[in-house]
Amino acid sequence: MIPTIAIRAVIMVFAVVAVAVFHPDALPADPWLQVWNRWDAPHFFEIAAHWYLPPADPARIVLFPLYPMAIALGSVVLQPLVAGMLVSLVAGLAAAVGLHRLVRLDDSRPAARAAVVAMAIFPTAFAFIAPYSESLFVALSIWAFVRAREADWRSAGVLGALAAFTRLQGVFLLPALAIEFWLARRRLDRQVIWVAFISVGLLAYLLVNYATFGDPLYFVGVQRDVFRVVNIAPWDALGSLWHAVLTANLDESWVTIYLAPLAAFVVLGLTVVWTVASKHSRPSYAIYTVLNLAAFASLSWPISVPRYLLGVFPVFLAMGVLLRRPIGPAVGAASALLLGLFVTLFASGHWAF
């Protein structure tokens, strides 16, 4: 936990210094927290204040409810930005503790520490600090796996349902933990109900759509009509992305909109290979990673995939293994440098996933 706190503190100071040096015109009057109030963050605060009802923009329905609900609860005693940052901080620490515990079920203490460090210095790990839902989602999903490995199926199901009420990726916990259930018990019994309970999180989100807009799939139309995102064949999506990388002008947008998403798919593809082949992995990690890869690769505009990788925790397990190899210092340095680049972009108001 101490390395996680220390790295987070360094990143927060770096963000302010970087903006002051490279983009002083973008430095807010109260920079220490305001530099993190970018892009999706104000939308979460909008939901926390008004739900999905006017004056909130109905398009905010694409952001799942649990994180803004936590902000609303914290806003009873704190300013919304402080509440959001605090939720992300607590969830981030919980994710680090959970990841360490999960790795220790199969591997050594140094391996667990390496995975936690990998998560803290991942190139898009700034989203764990910002008032975004990534910290909460990854904490819930990791702890769902931990509790499943410890045969506490009720807790695993509840945590999985909460994860599915935080991000759509949470529904992939159901087949992954179903595999864990079978490997642990080799039979179906009443406890499997708790694995199925994970679906309640998604059903609750569909109910929010229905209760607010009269259509349980209202968010699908918003993705299509407002954000121009639909599901297409993965080979078409990846082919289009590859073509854009080869033909777009070499500028900031080329890096953040085209090259980084393509690199994210490469990382995720290599992680799939690792989850299948490594003795440090499990079948449940493989199915969880494969489902995420298939979902992301079917997006017609995979612009935020580098950030979405944060929800696929086996990426940190695989990176943790690399950090302990001779190539580890180079991998760690590259990740930290990219993190510094994206922190600078994000904190100064530029697009960074």
Side-chain angles (χ1 to χ4, degrees):
M1 184 179 295
I2 292 177
T4 301
I5 295 173
I7 292 171
R8 181 180 290 255
V10 169
I11 293 172
M12 293 185 70
V13 173
F14 175 85
V16 175
V17 173
V19 177
V21 171
F22 297 109
H23 300 280
D25 56 318
L27 194 66
D30 180 19
W32 296 103
L33 294 183
Q34 287 295 336
V35 294
W36 299 101
N37 191 15
R38 310 289 193 186
W39 296 100
D40 283 0
H43 304 331
F44 282 117
F45 298 137
E46 186 179 359
I47 299 168
H50 307 292
W51 198 232
Y52 301 102
L53 303 171
D57 186 343
R60 305 295 174 248
I61 190 62
V62 298
L63 300 175
F64 276 46
L66 188 60
Y67 181 67
M69 289 172 66
I71 294 175
L73 182 62
S75 298
V76 174
V77 294
L78 299 169
Q79 294 180 352
L81 179 56
V82 176
M85 295 286 287
L86 183 60
V87 172
S88 291
L89 171 62
V90 173
L93 295 178
V97 172
L99 187 62
H100 190 279
R101 186 163 173 174
L102 186 63
V103 176
R104 287 290 288 129
L105 293 173
D106 300 304
D107 214 327
S108 66
R109 194 178 301 275
R113 285 198 297 264
V116 172
V117 170
M119 182 169 66
I121 65 171
F122 196 75
T124 52
F126 64 86
F128 286 146
I129 301 174
Y132 275 32
S133 60
E134 267 70 22
S135 284
L136 182 60
F137 174 75
V138 77
L140 291 168
S141 58
I142 287 174
W143 275 100
F145 268 91
V146 170
R147 300 313 293 163
R149 293 290 309 282
E150 296 175 345
D152 183 354
W153 298 106
R154 178 180 300 179
S155 296
V158 171
L159 290 165
L162 291 173
F165 199 49
T166 306
R167 295 192 71 90
L168 186 58
Q169 291 170 260
V171 74
F172 299 147
L173 292 169
L174 199 161
L177 295 191
I179 291 175
E180 284 292 348
F181 185 91
W182 179 256
L183 291 176
R185 305 177 77 88
R186 298 293 179 177
R187 68 182 189 278
L188 295 180
D189 55 40
R190 293 170 56 185
Q191 291 295 308
V192 78
I193 294 174
W194 291 109
V195 177
F197 187 79
I198 295 171
S199 63
V200 170
L202 178 59
L203 293 174
Y205 174 64
L206 299 180
L207 181 60
V208 168
N209 277 257
Y210 179 76
T212 309
F213 302 106
D215 179 2
L217 298 178
Y218 183 81
F219 72 101
V220 176
V222 170
Q223 288 279 29
R224 180 189 64 242
D225 300 332
V226 178
F227 299 103
R228 308 300 184 204
V229 176
V230 295
N231 292 112
I232 62 176
W235 45 89
D236 290 334
L238 295 177
S240 177
L241 186 59
W242 175 249
H243 176 75
V245 168
L246 294 179
T247 59
N249 293 328
L250 302 183
D251 54 16
E252 180 183 313
S253 295
W254 178 76
V255 173
T256 58
I257 296 178
Y258 303 119
L259 182 61
L262 182 63
F265 281 119
V266 172
V267 169
L268 197 52
L270 292 174
T271 303
V272 167
V273 174
W274 179 84
T275 59
V276 172
S278 175
K279 65 179 182 179
H280 301 287
S281 183
R282 299 178 63 81
S284 59
Y285 299 167
I287 191 63
Y288 184 67
T289 309
V290 167
L291 289 173
N292 275 282
L293 174 59
F296 298 157
S298 68
L299 297 175
S300 59
W301 195 29
I303 189 171
S304 294
V305 168
R307 173 164 59 90
Y308 295 162
L309 283 191
L310 296 177
V312 191
F313 71 87
V315 170
F316 309 134
L317 304 183
M319 183 175 168
V321 172
L322 285 179
L323 290 180
R324 299 178 64 212
R325 300 281 175 83
I327 198 176
V331 172
S335 185
L337 287 171
L338 288 172
L339 176 58
L341 170 64
F342 296 140
V343 166
T344 303
L345 289 174
F346 179 86
S348 57
H350 291 232
W351 173 250
F353 326 115

